[in-house]
Amino acid sequence: MSTTNTQSLDFNGLEQGKVKQIQNQKKTIFEYLKQHTATASMVTEATGVPQKSICRYKRDLEKQGLLYEIVKKHCKFTGFRAWYLTTNPELFPKSNQLKMF
């Protein structure tokens, strides 16, 4: 009886697949919010990306200065008050901070 295992687990491949999925989801959200101003629930409904993931990517994109909360009002999907998000730079709020020349 042979004790040699002919099947090997490719953990490296699994890790790369997960990273690729995260990159694809983040890009999907970013691109969707360039064209639409929407709440996280609305983005989930439109893209299929889970809302928990959207919240994580939202935080990352905010820290990078690529996503802003525009207005808090009733979500068209849930009916609850929520922040409408955008990655469209033309819709970003104007800064009140003084600039030094």
Side-chain angles (χ1 to χ4, degrees):
M1 176 179 237
S2 173
T3 59
T4 305
N5 185 356
T6 58
Q7 294 180 337
S8 66
L9 294 175
D10 183 9
F11 289 111
N12 197 23
L14 290 174
E15 184 70 22
Q16 289 174 352
K18 182 114 176 136
V19 169
K20 189 72 167 170
Q21 178 187 17
I22 289 169
Q23 290 171 341
N24 287 341
Q25 287 181 342
K26 198 171 188 179
K27 183 176 180 180
T28 298
I29 292 165
F30 182 82
E31 293 300 323
Y32 181 80
L33 289 173
K34 267 180 134 173
Q35 303 298 319
H36 305 88
T37 302
T39 65
S41 295
M42 293 165 63
V43 175
T44 293
E45 182 67 19
T47 65
V49 176
Q51 188 163 353
K52 283 186 178 184
S53 296
I54 291 171
C55 291
R56 183 173 52 252
Y57 304 143
K58 173 186 173 278
R59 182 180 60 243
D60 293 344
L61 291 168
E62 281 179 315
K63 285 180 180 179
Q64 296 172 22
L66 299 173
L67 180 144
Y68 280 91
E69 297 173 332
I70 300 300
V71 64
K72 190 170 188 177
K73 60 182 182 179
H74 291 279
C75 172
K76 294 176 184 176
F77 184 72
T78 66
F80 292 101
R81 286 180 50 84
W83 282 103
Y84 278 73
L85 313 170
T86 188
T87 58
N88 182 344
E90 294 175 7
L91 301 176
F92 288 178
K94 304 298 180 226
S95 174
N96 289 336
Q97 186 175 356
L98 295 175
K99 295 181 181 176
M100 295 185 72
F101 295 97

